[in-house]
C-alpha cells in the first residue's frame, strides 16, 4: 500500500469541546515508512497524522486556497445534466420522430444510444479518473458531453442524432465517477463527505424529478431545446471547475487487456438485453451476446486476479464495506428504474394518461428522493451509515411488494401512494451506501470504486427494464407486473439483510 489515510479516533466529549485540529491544507500524502518512523501525538484527541517531508509537487496538487464547495457545485451541476439527459428525451420522442421520420426502433435507439456507452464505459471512466486525475477527467467528459449536446440539437437525420447520443453517453461515463472523486478529494473528513454526497445525490434526484416536466415544456417550443439547454449549463460547470485544484494522478500503466474484456462484457450484455426486448431471449443473436458477456466476464476476473497493475484490484472489494454498496447499487437501480418502466407503461397503455401527465405522477415520488439524502446524512452522523441503508431498502421493498399486489386495481392516487416509499427509501439508502464505499477504499482508488458502483447501477437498470419487459410479454401484463415487482422487492430484501453486517 503506497498511501495511508489519517488515523482517526472516535470523538469524545472532551475532544469535541477543546481539541485543536490541524488545517486540512497541511495534510499531505502519507507513506508506510513515515508511519513507522513517526509517533502519534498523544497530547490531545485530534486525528493522529503521519506526514512525510513535503515535495515540490505538493503545492501543485494543493493549488490555491479554494473553498471545497466549488468542487461540490461543479460535480453537482455535471451530475445534474447527466441525469436530466437520461429522462428529458423520453417525452420528446414523438416530436423527434415526426421531424426526423423515425420509426419505433429508431426512437428506442435514441434512448439506448445514451445508456449503452454510459454503462459500458463507466469502468473506463473510473480508471481514467485515477490515472489522469479527477479534475482533468471531469473536464474532458464535460467538454465532450456539451459539444455532443449541441450536435444532438442540430442533428438533421436520425442517424446523426443517435451517433451524437452515443458520444453524449461516453462523456457522461467519464464525468460520473470523476464527479464523486472530486467530492472525495474536497472533503476528506467522512462526516463532511457524507453531507456532500447527500447534496450530490439531491442534484440527481432533482434532475430525475424535473426531467419529464422540463422535456414536456421545452418540446412545446422545439425538441431541439432539450439538448441545447445543456450548453449554458456545461459552460457554467467548466467555469466552476477552472478554480478547482489539480487532482492526484496515478503513474501505473493501463490494464489494457482487462479494459478490453470489461468493455466487451458490458457492451455485449447491454446490447443483448436491449435486443432481447425486440427479438426475444431465445433469439440466436441474443444468446450469442449473452454468451460473449459471460465469457468476457470470466476473462476479466481472471485478468484482474493475475495482472500486475489491474484496472480493479479485486482485494479492494473483499471487505463487506466495499462489496455490499456495489451490490446495493445494482438492486436499488433494478427496483427504482423497474418501477418507473412498469408504472409508466401501465399509466399510458392501461389508464390512458399522456406522457406529460405520467411524468407529473412521479413528482411526489422524486420529491422524497430529493429531501431524504439530506435527512440520511443527518441520521448517518448520529447512528452510522448502516441505519439509513437498511431502513431505505426496507422502505423500497415494501413499496415494490405493495405495487405487485395492488397495482392492477389501484387508482392513480393509490399508485402514487405506493410508489412514495420507493422514492423515500432510495433517497435514504443510496447516498449512505455510496459514502460507505468511498470511506472504505484508499483515496487514490476513489475513481475506480465509484466507477464500479455506477456501472453496477446502470447494469441493474438495464437488466430490470429488459427482464421485466420480457416477463410482461411472456406472462401477460397483470402476472408479469406481479412477478417483476416481487423479484425487485426480493432482491432489495436480500441486500437489506446483507447490509446489517455493515458498521
Amino acid at each position: 500500500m503506497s498511501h495511508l489515510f489519517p488515523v482517526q479516533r472516535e470523538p469524545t466529549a472532551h475532544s469535541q469541546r477543546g481539541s485543536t485540529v490541524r488545517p486540512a491544507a497541511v495534510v499531505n500524502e502519507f507513506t508506510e515508512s513515515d508511519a513507522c518512523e513517526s509517533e502519534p501525538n498523544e497530547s490531545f484527541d485530534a486525528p493522529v497524522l503521519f506526514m512525510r517531508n513535503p515535495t515540490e509537487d505538493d503545492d501543485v496538487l494543493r493549488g490555491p486556497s479554494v473553498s471545497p464547495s466549488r468542487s461540490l457545485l461543479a460535480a453537482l451541476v455535471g451530475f445534474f445534466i447527466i441525469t436530466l439527459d437520461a429522462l428529458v428525451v423520453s417525452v420528446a420522442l414523438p416530436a423527434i420522430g415526426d421531424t426526423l421520420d423515425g420509426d419505433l426502433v429508431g426512437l428506442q435507439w435514441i434512448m439506448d444510444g445514451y445508456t449503452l456507452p454510459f454503462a459500458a464505459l463507466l469502468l473506463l471512466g473510473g480508471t481514467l479518473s485515477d490515472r489522469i486525475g479527477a479534475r482533468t477527467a471531469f473536464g474532458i467528459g464535460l467538454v465532450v458531453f456539451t459539444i455532443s449536446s449541441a450536435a444532438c440539437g442540430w442533428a438533421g437525420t436520425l442517424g446523426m442524432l443517435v451517433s451524437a447520443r452515443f458520444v453524449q453517453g461516453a462523456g457522461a461515463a467519464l464525468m460520473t465517477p470523476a464527479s464523486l472523486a472530486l467530492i472525495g478529494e474536497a472533503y476528506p473528513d467522512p462526516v463532511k463527505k457524507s453531507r456532500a454526497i447527500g447534496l450530490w445525490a439531491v442534484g440527481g434526484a432533482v434532475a430525475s424529478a424535473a426531467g419529464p416536466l422540463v422535456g414536456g415544456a421545452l418540446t412545446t417550443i422545439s425538441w431541439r431545446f432539450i439538448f441545447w439547454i445543456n450548453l449554458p449549463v456545461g459552460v457554467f460547470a467548466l467555469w466552476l471547475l477552472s478554480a478547482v485544484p489539480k487532482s492526484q494522478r496515478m503513474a501505473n500503466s493501463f490494464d489494457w487487456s482487462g479494459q478490453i474484456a470489461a468493455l466487451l462484457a458490458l457492451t455485449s450484455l447491454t446490447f443483448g438485453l436491449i435486443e432481447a426486448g425486440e427479438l426475444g431471449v431465445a433469439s440466436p443473436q441474443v444468446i450469442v451476446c449473452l454468451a460473449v458477456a459471460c465469457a468476457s466476464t470470466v476473462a476479466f476476473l481472471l485478468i484482474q486476479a493475475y495482472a500486475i497493475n489491474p484496472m480493479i484490484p479485486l482485494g479492494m472489494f473483499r471487505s463487506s464495506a466495499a462489496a455490499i454498496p456495489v451490490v446495493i447499487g445494482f438492486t436499488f437501480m433494478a427496483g427504482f428504474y423497474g418501477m418507473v418502466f412498469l408504472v409508466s407503461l401501465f399509466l399510458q397503455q392501461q389508464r390512458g394518461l399522456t406522457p406529460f401527465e405520467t411524468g407529473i405522477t412521479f413528482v411526489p415520488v422524486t420529491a422524497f428522493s430529493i429531501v431524504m439524502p439530506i435527512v440520511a446524512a443527518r441520521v448517518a452522523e448520529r447512528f452510522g451509515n448502516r441505519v439509513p441503508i437498511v431502513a431505505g431498502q426496507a422502505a423500497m421493498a415494501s413499496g415494490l411488494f405493495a405495487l405487485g399486489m395492488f397495482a392492477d386495481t389501484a387508482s392513480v392516487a393509490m399508485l402514487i401512494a405506493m410508489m412514495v416509499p420507493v422514492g423515500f427509501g432510495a433517497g435514504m439508502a443510496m447516498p449512505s451506501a455510496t459514502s460507505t464505499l468511498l470511506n472504505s477504499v484508499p483515496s487514490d482508488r476513489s475513481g475506480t470504486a465509484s466507477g464500479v458502483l455506477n456501472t453496477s447501477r446502470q447494469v441493474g437498470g438495464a437488466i430490470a427494464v429488459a427482464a421485466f419487459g420480457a416477463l410482461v410479454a411472456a406472462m401477460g401484463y397483470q402476472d408479469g407486473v406481479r412477478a417483476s415487482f416481487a423479484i425487485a422487492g426480493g432482491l432489495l430484501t436480500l441486500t437489506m439483510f446483507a447490509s446489517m453486517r455493515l458498521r
Side-chain angles (χ1 to χ4, degrees), residues 110-147:
I110 294 174
M111 298 291 294
D112 296 336
Y114 183 78
T115 56
L116 174 60
F118 197 176
L121 297 176
L122 271 172
L123 283 175
L124 175 61
T127 302
L128 285 175
S129 179
D130 288 338
R131 297 305 195 269
I132 66 177
R135 178 180 180 268
T136 301
F138 186 84
I140 294 173
L142 184 59
V143 170
V144 170
F145 185 91
T146 304
I147 293 176

Coordinates of all heavy atoms in Angstrom, one line a residue, residues 110-147:
I110 N -32.5 6.2 -29.8 CA -32.2 7.5 -29.3 C -32.0 7.4 -27.8 O -31.2 8.1 -27.2 CB -33.4 8.5 -29.6 CG1 -33.4 8.7 -31.1 CG2 -33.1 9.8 -28.9 CD1 -34.6 9.6 -31.6
M111 N -32.9 6.6 -27.1 CA -32.7 6.4 -25.7 C -31.5 5.5 -25.4 O -30.7 5.8 -24.6 CB -34.0 5.8 -25.1 CG -35.2 6.6 -25.3 SD -35.2 8.1 -24.2 CE -35.3 7.4 -22.6
D112 N -31.4 4.4 -26.1 CA -30.4 3.4 -25.8 C -29.0 3.8 -26.2 O -28.0 3.3 -25.7 CB -30.8 2.0 -26.4 CG -32.0 1.4 -25.9 OD1 -32.4 1.8 -24.7 OD2 -32.7 0.6 -26.6
G113 N -29.0 4.7 -27.2 CA -27.7 5.2 -27.7 C -27.0 6.0 -26.6 O -25.8 6.1 -26.6
Y114 N -27.7 6.5 -25.6 CA -27.1 7.2 -24.5 C -26.7 6.2 -23.4 O -25.6 6.3 -22.8 CB -28.1 8.2 -23.9 CG -27.6 9.1 -22.8 CD1 -26.7 10.1 -23.0 CD2 -28.0 8.8 -21.5 CE1 -26.3 10.9 -22.0 CE2 -27.6 9.6 -20.4 CZ -26.7 10.7 -20.7 OH -26.3 11.4 -19.6
T115 N -27.7 5.3 -23.0 CA -27.4 4.4 -21.9 C -26.4 3.3 -22.2 O -25.7 2.8 -21.3 CB -28.7 3.7 -21.5 OG1 -29.3 3.0 -22.6 CG2 -29.7 4.8 -21.0
L116 N -26.3 2.9 -23.5 CA -25.3 1.8 -23.8 C -23.9 2.2 -23.5 O -23.2 1.5 -22.8 CB -25.5 1.3 -25.2 CG -24.5 0.3 -25.8 CD1 -24.5 -1.0 -24.9 CD2 -24.8 0.0 -27.2
P117 N -23.4 3.3 -24.1 CA -22.0 3.7 -23.8 C -21.8 4.2 -22.4 O -20.8 4.0 -21.8 CB -21.7 4.8 -24.8 CG -23.0 5.4 -25.2 CD -24.0 4.2 -25.1
F118 N -22.9 4.7 -21.8 CA -22.8 5.1 -20.4 C -22.5 3.9 -19.5 O -21.6 4.0 -18.7 CB -24.2 5.7 -20.0 CG -24.2 6.5 -18.7 CD1 -25.3 7.2 -18.3 CD2 -23.0 6.6 -17.9 CE1 -25.3 8.0 -17.1 CE2 -23.0 7.4 -16.8 CZ -24.2 8.0 -16.4
A119 N -23.2 2.8 -19.7 CA -23.0 1.6 -18.9 C -21.7 1.0 -19.2 O -20.9 0.5 -18.4 CB -24.1 0.6 -19.1
A120 N -21.3 0.9 -20.5 CA -20.2 0.1 -21.0 C -18.9 0.8 -20.6 O -17.8 0.2 -20.5 CB -20.3 -0.1 -22.5
L121 N -18.9 2.2 -20.6 CA -17.6 2.9 -20.4 C -17.4 3.5 -19.0 O -16.4 4.2 -18.8 CB -17.6 4.1 -21.4 CG -17.5 3.7 -22.9 CD1 -17.6 4.9 -23.8 CD2 -16.3 2.8 -23.2
L122 N -18.3 3.2 -18.1 CA -18.1 3.7 -16.7 C -16.9 3.2 -16.0 O -16.2 4.0 -15.3 CB -19.3 3.4 -15.9 CG -20.5 4.4 -15.9 CD1 -21.7 3.8 -15.2 CD2 -20.1 5.7 -15.3
L123 N -16.5 1.9 -16.3 CA -15.3 1.4 -15.7 C -14.1 2.1 -16.3 O -13.1 2.5 -15.5 CB -15.2 -0.1 -15.9 CG -16.0 -1.0 -15.0 CD1 -15.9 -2.4 -15.4 CD2 -15.6 -0.8 -13.5
L124 N -14.1 2.4 -17.6 CA -13.0 3.1 -18.2 C -13.0 4.5 -17.6 O -11.9 5.1 -17.3 CB -13.2 3.2 -19.7 CG -12.2 4.1 -20.5 CD1 -10.8 3.5 -20.3 CD2 -12.6 4.1 -22.0
G125 N -14.1 5.1 -17.4 CA -14.2 6.5 -16.8 C -13.5 6.5 -15.4 O -12.8 7.4 -15.0
G126 N -13.8 5.5 -14.6 CA -13.2 5.4 -13.3 C -11.7 5.2 -13.3 O -11.0 5.8 -12.5
T127 N -11.3 4.4 -14.3 CA -9.8 4.2 -14.4 C -9.1 5.4 -14.9 O -8.1 5.8 -14.3 CB -9.6 3.0 -15.4 OG1 -10.2 1.8 -15.0 CG2 -8.1 2.8 -15.6
L128 N -9.7 6.1 -15.8 CA -9.1 7.4 -16.3 C -9.1 8.4 -15.2 O -8.2 9.2 -15.1 CB -9.9 7.9 -17.6 CG -9.6 7.1 -18.9 CD1 -10.5 7.7 -20.0 CD2 -8.1 7.3 -19.3
S129 N -10.1 8.5 -14.4 CA -10.2 9.4 -13.3 C -9.0 9.2 -12.4 O -8.4 10.2 -11.9 CB -11.5 9.3 -12.6 OG -11.6 10.2 -11.5
D130 N -8.6 8.0 -12.1 CA -7.5 7.7 -11.2 C -6.2 8.0 -12.0 O -5.2 8.6 -11.4 CB -7.5 6.2 -10.8 CG -8.6 5.9 -9.8 OD1 -9.0 6.8 -9.1 OD2 -8.9 4.7 -9.7
R131 N -6.1 7.7 -13.2 CA -4.8 7.8 -14.0 C -4.5 9.3 -14.3 O -3.3 9.7 -14.2 CB -4.9 7.0 -15.3 CG -5.1 5.5 -15.1 CD -4.0 4.9 -14.2 NE -4.0 3.5 -14.3 CZ -4.7 2.6 -13.6 NH1 -5.5 3.1 -12.7 NH2 -4.6 1.3 -13.8
I132 N -5.5 10.1 -14.8 CA -5.2 11.4 -15.2 C -5.7 12.5 -14.2 O -5.4 13.7 -14.4 CB -5.8 11.7 -16.6 CG1 -7.3 11.7 -16.5 CG2 -5.3 10.7 -17.6 CD1 -8.0 12.1 -17.8
G133 N -6.3 12.0 -13.1 CA -6.8 13.0 -12.1 C -8.3 13.3 -12.3 O -8.7 13.4 -13.5
A134 N -9.0 13.4 -11.2 CA -10.5 13.6 -11.3 C -10.8 14.9 -12.0 O -11.8 14.9 -12.8 CB -11.1 13.5 -9.9
R135 N -10.1 15.9 -11.7 CA -10.4 17.2 -12.3 C -10.2 17.2 -13.8 O -11.1 17.7 -14.5 CB -9.5 18.3 -11.7 CG -9.6 19.7 -12.2 CD -8.7 20.7 -11.6 NE -8.8 22.0 -12.1 CZ -8.0 22.5 -13.1 NH1 -7.2 21.7 -13.7 NH2 -8.2 23.8 -13.4
T136 N -9.1 16.6 -14.3 CA -8.9 16.6 -15.7 C -10.0 15.7 -16.4 O -10.5 16.0 -17.5 CB -7.5 16.0 -16.0 OG1 -6.5 16.9 -15.4 CG2 -7.2 15.9 -17.5
A137 N -10.2 14.5 -15.8 CA -11.2 13.6 -16.4 C -12.6 14.2 -16.4 O -13.3 14.1 -17.5 CB -11.3 12.3 -15.6
F138 N -13.0 14.9 -15.4 CA -14.3 15.6 -15.4 C -14.4 16.6 -16.4 O -15.4 16.8 -17.1 CB -14.5 16.2 -14.0 CG -15.9 16.7 -13.8 CD1 -17.0 15.9 -13.4 CD2 -16.1 18.1 -14.0 CE1 -18.2 16.4 -13.2 CE2 -17.4 18.6 -13.8 CZ -18.5 17.8 -13.4
G139 N -13.3 17.4 -16.6 CA -13.3 18.5 -17.6 C -13.4 17.9 -19.0 O -14.1 18.5 -19.8
I140 N -12.7 16.9 -19.3 CA -12.7 16.3 -20.6 C -14.1 15.7 -20.9 O -14.7 16.0 -22.0 CB -11.7 15.2 -20.8 CG1 -10.3 15.7 -20.8 CG2 -11.9 14.4 -22.1 CD1 -9.2 14.7 -20.7
G141 N -14.7 15.0 -19.9 CA -16.0 14.5 -20.1 C -17.1 15.6 -20.3 O -18.0 15.4 -21.1
L142 N -16.9 16.6 -19.6 CA -17.9 17.8 -19.7 C -17.8 18.4 -21.0 O -18.8 18.8 -21.6 CB -17.6 18.8 -18.6 CG -18.5 20.0 -18.4 CD1 -20.0 19.5 -18.2 CD2 -18.1 20.9 -17.3
V143 N -16.6 18.6 -21.6 CA -16.5 19.2 -22.9 C -17.1 18.3 -24.0 O -17.8 18.7 -24.8 CB -15.0 19.5 -23.2 CG1 -14.8 19.8 -24.7 CG2 -14.5 20.6 -22.3
V144 N -16.8 17.0 -23.9 CA -17.4 16.0 -24.8 C -18.9 16.0 -24.7 O -19.6 16.1 -25.8 CB -16.8 14.6 -24.5 CG1 -17.6 13.6 -25.3 CG2 -15.3 14.5 -24.9
F145 N -19.4 16.0 -23.5 CA -20.9 16.0 -23.3 C -21.5 17.3 -23.9 O -22.6 17.2 -24.5 CB -21.2 15.9 -21.8 CG -22.6 15.7 -21.5 CD1 -23.2 14.5 -21.4 CD2 -23.4 16.8 -21.3 CE1 -24.6 14.3 -21.1 CE2 -24.8 16.7 -21.0 CZ -25.4 15.4 -20.9
T146 N -20.9 18.4 -23.6 CA -21.5 19.7 -24.0 C -21.5 19.8 -25.6 O -22.5 20.2 -26.2 CB -20.8 20.9 -23.4 OG1 -20.8 20.7 -22.0 CG2 -21.4 22.2 -23.7
I147 N -20.4 19.5 -26.2 CA -20.3 19.6 -27.7 C -21.3 18.6 -28.3 O -21.9 18.9 -29.3 CB -18.9 19.3 -28.1 CG1 -17.9 20.5 -27.6 CG2 -18.8 19.2 -29.6 CD1 -16.5 20.3 -28.0

